[in-house]
Amino acid sequence: LMNHPSRQRRAWTSTCDNSVTLADANYDSSQQSLSSYGDEDGTGAATDLTAVPGAAISCLTDLYELNLLGNAITEIPPLGTGGLGLVNLGIVIMEDNLIVSIPTNTFTGLTELSQISFKTNRIEVVPPALLSGFPKLFTVDFSDNRIKSVPVNLFGTDATTAKTYFAGNVLQCNAFDKNGRSEEHTSE
């Protein structure tokens, strides 16, 4: 189980005029970046988000980077078309949360997607073809989760050169011995 520092409850506000306020959130309209982590008063307390603040950020249609590191988020909604409509997202950082699963349609319509990090969560299963159709994707990090297997078609039928990290998971691989019998191997 992850240990989170003492948290203070924070509230999002958004006027959909390119301003978002959270005590620890930084929205830089020139960089189209929203970050919510740490504590500006130096105490190190993380924000207490238990969900992606969809209503507060869905109007930020030019948002390129969403960094919700170090919260207590348990699930992630569809971020692109059919969801929050953040179709210009290129970087999604959801590290150090409590996410257990990622819906197949989470990244639908995010044609600018280049970096995804779900490091240090509780993810057990990565859906097949989750990362299909993202030609700009160059970094994917699922390290330090509870993933036991990686789908062969994670990237669909797309050829990819994305750096993909799964360190710190208990991956089970099927291999065959010299007689063709299946053996199960565990790698950490």
Side-chain angles (χ1 to χ4, degrees), residues 103-121:
T104 303
N105 63 345
T106 299
F107 306 115
T108 301
L110 300 183
T111 58
E112 298 300 313
L113 199 59
S114 63
Q115 180 181 347
I116 300 169
S117 184
F118 282 89
K119 184 177 180 179
T120 316
N121 276 281

Side-chain angles (χ1 to χ4, degrees), residues 12 22 24-26 32-38 47 49 52-53 57 63-71 73 89 91-97 115 117:
W12 284 90
L22 173 67
D24 295 334
N26 299 313
Q32 289 85 37
S33 174
L34 176 68
S35 300
S36 169
Y37 56 93
T47 58
L49 295 176
V52 174
I57 65 173
L63 190 66
Y64 182 75
E65 179 178 349
L66 178 63
N67 185 338
L68 296 176
L69 171 124
N71 285 283
I73 296 170
L89 276 180
I91 300 172
V92 177
I93 308 294
M94 299 295 291
E95 296 177 3
D96 194 22
N97 278 285
Q115 180 181 347
S117 184

